[in-house]
Amino acid sequence: MAGRNPGTEPELGWISKVHVNRPAVVRHAEQIKKWKTVKGNWQAAWLLKAVTCIDLTTLSGDDTPSNVQRLCFKAKRPIREDLLKALDMHDKGITVAAVCVYPARVSDAVNTLKAAGCNIPVASVAAGFPSGQTPLETKLTEIKLAVEYGAREIDIVISRSLVLTGQWEGLYEEIRLCRAACGEAHMKTILATGELGSLANVYKASMIAMMAGSDFIKTSTGKEVENATFPVGIVMMRAIKEYYWQTGYKIFYHVTGSYALQHELAMA
């Protein structure tokens, strides 16, 4: 695998000609739902793997240092010890991938994880999350502050208005500046796919985000009416494959479901 995605120049002429065959995508999504799932030990193994890919998240207006601390302890030990012993996985150091909070709570998370002797990275939402309706200068300042506080991953959210009005060059430039503000911190670009209007826009926004240097592309904030769906996932992963064919850089796909459900699991 090549190193971190440096981005490319925007290919706006190609982007403008993109077409997505929605009926074909929907049919493929229905076929995926019918695939047989793994059972027994294989199922347990995949579920454990899924846990290690989770960003354990709390993004509520009533977040406090104490419930962020509780979240961090859950992140270090996300599965009951008796279950891990039953699977002979108690000594494998299974943790979640990251702890995700608002910028104001990053220091709380960083300090708690450090005190617990844990190297789980702290991720922070930024850039006007969840609506994206803040001035660009404010978005960049928020990103820089989150990094200064110790965030190693930044989840930005795009301005949906730029997609809906076809301002692809403007979207590219905004994401590129956000990437620069992240510095060494990895950047996830949240597309808020439920608010983009069409699968073609999902594909175009995915490609623009990768061209602008995103390390991940992410489906949604978890606060939209519609979050991740099978058709959206298929389109985004096809865009990732296309970008890899063109550049040799593999971009990560991150899926967000119901934020309410995530929060409930995080606090369990």
Side-chain angles (χ1 to χ4, degrees):
M1 178 177 173
R4 188 178 178 190
N5 175 35
T8 67
E9 292 298 315
E11 298 183 34
L12 301 180
W14 176 71
I15 289 291
S16 67
K17 298 175 183 177
V18 166
H19 171 74
V20 174
N21 185 338
R22 181 179 178 84
V25 171
V26 172
R27 283 196 302 271
H28 185 37
E30 291 302 317
Q31 291 171 354
I32 292 174
K33 293 177 185 178
K34 296 175 183 177
W35 289 355
K36 292 182 178 180
T37 58
V38 294
K39 302 293 183 182
N41 288 340
W42 287 106
Q43 185 180 42
W46 277 110
L47 289 172
L48 287 175
K49 181 63 176 178
V51 168
T52 67
C53 296
I54 290 173
D55 285 2
L56 201 58
T57 301
T58 182
L59 296 170
S60 297
D62 59 356
D63 282 341
T64 63
S66 61
N67 73 307
V68 170
Q69 289 172 359
R70 182 179 173 189
L71 186 78
C72 292
F73 294 140
K74 182 75 172 179
K76 185 177 180 181
R77 289 189 172 85
I79 301 173
R80 290 193 343 239
E81 190 71 12
D82 61 317
L83 294 178
L84 290 175
K85 286 182 177 179
L87 296 167
D88 195 26
M89 295 294 289
H90 58 285
D91 58 350
K92 298 300 188 291
I94 290 177
T95 69
V96 300
V99 169
C100 184
V101 293
Y102 276 118
R105 301 269 69 89
V106 167
S107 295
D108 297 329
V110 169
N111 293 336
T112 300
L113 291 168
K114 184 178 180 180
C118 189
N119 195 38
I120 297 172
V122 174
S124 176
V125 295
F129 180 94
S131 69
Q133 296 282 8
T134 54
L136 179 57
E137 293 79 7
T138 303
K139 294 179 180 181
L140 299 178
T141 298
E142 187 177 37
I143 292 169
K144 291 174 183 177
L145 285 173
V147 173
E148 181 181 324
Y149 297 155
R152 288 156 57 188
E153 298 177 6
I154 300 294
D155 289 21
I156 70 164
V157 60
I158 66 170
S159 298
R160 278 74 102 190
S161 63
L162 295 176
V163 175
L164 296 172
T165 56
Q167 298 182 63
W168 301 111
E169 189 170 5
L171 179 65
Y172 172 88
E173 186 63 16
E174 179 171 285
I175 298 173
R176 187 189 66 80
L177 290 171
C178 288
R179 162 66 191 271
C182 287
E184 294 301 312
H186 285 82
M187 186 176 78
K188 297 190 189 84
T189 299
I190 304 171
L191 304 182
T193 55
E195 298 177 348
L196 296 189
S198 69
L199 291 178
N201 279 347
V202 170
Y203 188 91
K204 292 175 182 180
S206 298
M207 291 301 296
I208 289 291
M210 292 184 285
M211 290 173 182
S214 301
D215 298 292
F216 295 72
I217 53 173
K218 188 171 179 177
T219 57
S220 45
T221 67
K223 296 177 181 286
E224 295 91 30
V225 174
E226 181 180 77
N227 295 291
T229 65
F230 276 101
V232 160
I234 290 169
V235 169
M236 290 177 67
M237 285 188 278
R238 179 55 190 265
I240 288 171
K241 182 188 290 187
E242 179 70 25
Y243 188 79
Y244 174 68
W245 285 342
Q246 291 189 19
T247 68
Y249 290 97
K250 291 183 179 179
I251 309 304
F252 295 95
Y253 168 75
H254 199 280
V255 60
T256 305
S258 165
Y259 173 71
L261 177 59
Q262 287 187 55
H263 185 73
E264 182 179 335
L265 289 172
M267 294 295 100

